[in-house]
Amino acid sequence: MEIIAPTTEQLIQEFELKIASDTKIEARDWMPDAYRENLIRQISQHAHSEVIGMQPEGNWITRAPSLRSKKILLAKIQDEGGHGLYLYSAAETLGMSREEFIALLHAGKAKYASVFNYPALNWADMGAIGWLVDGAAITNQVSLQRTSYGPYARAMVRICKEESFHQRQGYEIMWRMMEGTEDQRTMAQDALNRWWWPALMMFGPHDSDSTHSSLALKWKIKRESNDQLREKFIQKTIPQAELIGLNIPDPALKLQPDGTYLHGEINWEEFWAVVGGNGPCNQQRLDHHIKAHADGKWVRETAYAASLKH
Ligand code: FAQ
């Protein structure tokens, strides 16, 4: 019997039916090129963010104020490395190798989250990063657990469990500092002042300026828009700041009768400068990654050689 290959129209129809019925798209399934490309771009950016994101906190492991805080910070940073691993693996199912992803990062052609362009200046920044950066990341990632691509969705489920611990450890640092001395309270407020706006920038440009959102939302790669997620984060984080006596560094902040907050506008010029590769620590982050990757070459080669023996 002759087997007739489906036409492109039939393949598109089948793909869109799966999207409409919330059936996950798997690596073996046919998918439009634009769907594959958008996923590769987003997951690669996400994976690079997890790994580059280890640097601002890694800088503080040797200066943690107690053994307890050092152990927690070490475990947290190690988790972020693991998240990068799950995400590179998910992205590899789309047909690009880990080496290609890393080469694009090193060539400055792949992005990572803008927030990791900012320096971590003191211990309170460990609190602000966990509370705000992981807090923003988890707001986005809870939504991404329902993304239409199976390997990405499954990676997100595990990542979210760990990210929620990270958010709490960061908030605990801030809370304890706010219960401490006047100097500690000043440090905590200063860290919030420096990390608040970069954390809001993590959600990307306004929906009206977002290049990829319309297709990503249509194909359920993204389940909520940049502005919807940013708004969720803002509304839940302000009460957390108030509870421990911190002030959100936004003069336009105003509580409305319905209990939600009006807030000010992000400095978009700064955002686009950072996204364009001109962030304060971009070169330092890339140089460090390139060096660490070169230093680890012998480990990769040894692990590979050992794997051939079994
Ligand atoms: N930074 O059209 P859209 C973490 C770029 S994980 C840099 O709206 P999209 C854990 C965007 O790529 C944090 N670039 O883009 C952790 C595009 O440029 P392209 C990472 C940005 O993809 C915590 C252009 O602007 N999380 O923190 C940013 O639809 C602590 C136009 O933008 C994820 O990556 C930005 N903030 O929406 C680790 C989540 N925003 O590619 C260590 C997954 C936009 O055309 C320590 N990603 N751009 O050259 C996403 O959900 C999406 O990619 C968005 C952006 C929402 C980030």
Side-chain angles (χ1 to χ4, degrees), residues 54-277:
M54 296 164 80
Q55 292 187 35
E57 290 167 305
N59 196 28
W60 281 88
I61 294 170
T62 54
R63 287 173 283 176
S66 68
L67 189 56
R68 177 182 184 269
S69 53
K70 186 177 195 147
K71 283 195 296 187
I72 294 172
L73 188 63
L74 262 174
K76 192 259 186 218
I77 297 171
Q78 199 168 307
D79 284 351
E80 307 296 1
H83 298 174
L85 188 69
Y86 315 151
L87 287 163
Y88 285 125
S89 302
E92 280 180 310
T93 65
L94 291 157
M96 227 170 115
S97 70
R98 182 96 48 104
E99 288 72 25
E100 288 172 287
F101 288 121
I102 304 283
L104 286 173
L105 176 70
H106 288 177
K109 291 185 181 154
K111 294 192 163 65
Y112 63 88
S114 49
V115 73
F116 301 121
N117 277 267
Y118 295 87
L121 301 180
N122 64 49
W123 179 254
D125 289 31
M126 299 304 97
I129 291 175
W131 172 39
L132 301 173
V133 178
D134 285 274
I138 198 176
T139 306
N140 177 307
Q141 288 163 336
V142 163
S143 180
L144 283 174
Q145 289 180 118
R146 294 187 297 118
T147 187
S148 55
Y149 188 55
Y152 193 20
R154 290 189 286 274
M156 278 302 123
V157 172
R158 185 152 171 197
I159 289 176
C160 280
K161 286 189 183 142
E162 294 173 353
E163 222 70 281
S164 90
F165 152 70
H166 299 169
Q167 192 270 353
R168 284 171 213 193
Q169 68 83 33
Y171 190 61
E172 190 202 38
I173 292 175
M174 296 303 259
W175 166 39
R176 290 179 69 148
M177 289 187 88
M178 290 307 287
E179 287 188 329
T181 64
E182 193 52 44
D183 280 350
Q184 286 173 314
R185 282 193 287 277
T186 305
M187 277 170 72
Q189 181 63 52
D190 168 62
L192 170 60
N193 294 349
R194 286 181 290 104
W195 288 95
W196 175 250
W197 294 104
L200 300 193
M201 292 176 194
M202 287 175 73
F203 295 93
H206 277 315
D207 297 347
S208 52
D209 297 324
S210 165
T211 336
H212 303 289
S213 280
S214 67
L215 258 192
L217 287 165
K218 175 180 168 216
W219 284 334
K220 299 184 181 170
I221 292 174
K222 282 160 112 169
R223 303 301 301 240
E224 288 166 276
S225 77
N226 299 359
D227 284 328
Q228 282 169 333
L229 290 168
R230 182 170 19 244
E231 204 54 39
K232 265 192 191 172
F233 173 74
I234 291 172
Q235 300 303 333
K236 75 179 170 198
T237 308
I238 294 171
Q240 292 169 4
E242 286 174 349
L243 185 68
I244 55 175
L246 284 164
N247 297 311
I248 298 289
D250 179 353
L253 208 69
K254 196 164 173 241
L255 183 61
Q256 302 181 101
D258 68 357
T260 61
Y261 291 87
L262 277 179
H263 50 84
E265 192 54 283
I266 285 172
N267 178 345
W268 292 109
E269 218 173 292
E270 178 182 327
F271 170 77
W272 288 116
V274 173
V275 169

